[in-house]
Amino acid sequence: LGQIISSGEGIFPPELVTEFRKCRDQVPAEPFDQVRAVVADELGCPLETIFSEFDEQPLDATSIAQVHRAVLREGPKGGPVEVVVKVQRPAVAKLVIRDLRVMSWLAPFLVGRIPVAALANPPALVEVFVETIVEELDFRLEAQNMLDVARSFSELGQRSFVVPRPHPELVTRRMLVMERLSGFDFDDVDQIVGAGIDTHQ
């Protein structure tokens, strides 16, 4: 919910947007032993069996998962391959279910009490949110969405956007291994312009 609000400039009050932006990139990381345990559980073998390198410090941590730089021992074409590994927080599913119960109970009491048009129907908002968050907790759906979007771009002849390719054999409900791409935060306009990118285009 924080991620939805954090990207809702012009829809939600600026104070809310500013505060909820912190959910995107100011969340403490999980201890690495827990990350290692999730990866091993999802792979069915120790992390070192698949990866020759796996950074203990995450590139980013959000409320649902964190992302680590890693190197596959052997990629699809043979030889080592740089990837990023998105690993779900171990307790997040239980916490989400608990929070959804609270939101579902609370929503009917909030009808007509929030002076923001986008929040006019709290029970309906919670219903949509439940569907969205359940999908977000299954990284197999995220990987499929990545492939679907890439396919759509390809069919349209659109070559300006690149979607990271997932490694299908290393995608599970709680782990997503994908191609590593370098870039900028979406709203870091100074860096983007400094790199000679035509932002208008």
Side-chain angles (χ1 to χ4, degrees), residues 64 88 93 96-97 100 127-141 173:
I64 290 176
Q88 193 170 117
V96 164
I97 289 167
L100 291 175
E127 195 174 317
V128 169
F129 180 63
V130 168
E131 292 173 14
T132 304
I133 197 68
V134 166
E135 287 184 4
E136 278 201 39
L137 289 173
D138 189 339
F139 293 167
R140 294 169 299 188
L141 293 174
R173 186 175 62 81

Side-chain angles (χ1 to χ4, degrees), residues 11-172:
I11 299 172
F12 300 109
E15 298 85 358
L16 278 181
V17 173
T18 300
E19 282 303 308
F20 279 106
R21 274 197 176 139
K22 294 173 184 175
C23 291
R24 295 201 309 221
D25 56 11
Q26 294 182 32
V27 183
E30 292 286 338
F32 186 67
D33 59 337
Q34 292 188 29
V35 172
R36 176 189 288 280
V38 171
V39 172
D41 195 39
E42 295 301 293
L43 290 172
C45 62
L47 174 152
E48 290 80 7
T49 306
I50 305 295
F51 303 99
S52 59
E53 295 177 37
F54 199 108
D55 283 0
E56 294 191 14
Q57 280 297 113
L59 292 168
D60 195 14
T62 66
S63 52
I64 290 176
Q66 56 196 57
V67 179
H68 293 259
R69 187 195 75 82
V71 177
L72 289 176
R73 287 193 178 278
E74 195 166 331
K77 297 177 182 176
V81 176
E82 268 211 5
V83 294
V84 291
V85 184
K86 184 175 180 179
V87 183
Q88 193 170 117
R89 291 178 180 269
V92 76
K94 288 180 185 173
L95 293 172
V96 164
I97 289 167
R98 184 196 67 187
D99 289 351
L100 291 175
R101 284 187 182 136
V102 172
M103 290 169 68
S104 297
W105 177 83
L106 190 60
F109 297 103
L110 297 177
V111 174
R113 296 183 183 208
I114 304 174
V116 178
L119 301 176
N121 188 345
L125 188 64
V126 169
E127 195 174 317
V128 169
F129 180 63
V130 168
E131 292 173 14
T132 304
I133 197 68
V134 166
E135 287 184 4
E136 278 201 39
L137 289 173
D138 189 339
F139 293 167
R140 294 169 299 188
L141 293 174
E142 182 173 344
Q144 188 57 53
N145 288 340
M146 292 162 76
L147 293 170
D148 291 345
V149 171
R151 190 177 301 111
S152 295
F153 281 158
S154 177
E155 289 169 0
L156 291 168
Q158 173 59 264
R159 301 288 181 216
S160 299
F161 297 101
V162 178
V163 180
R165 294 177 183 274
H167 289 260
E169 71 285 1
L170 296 172
V171 175
T172 69

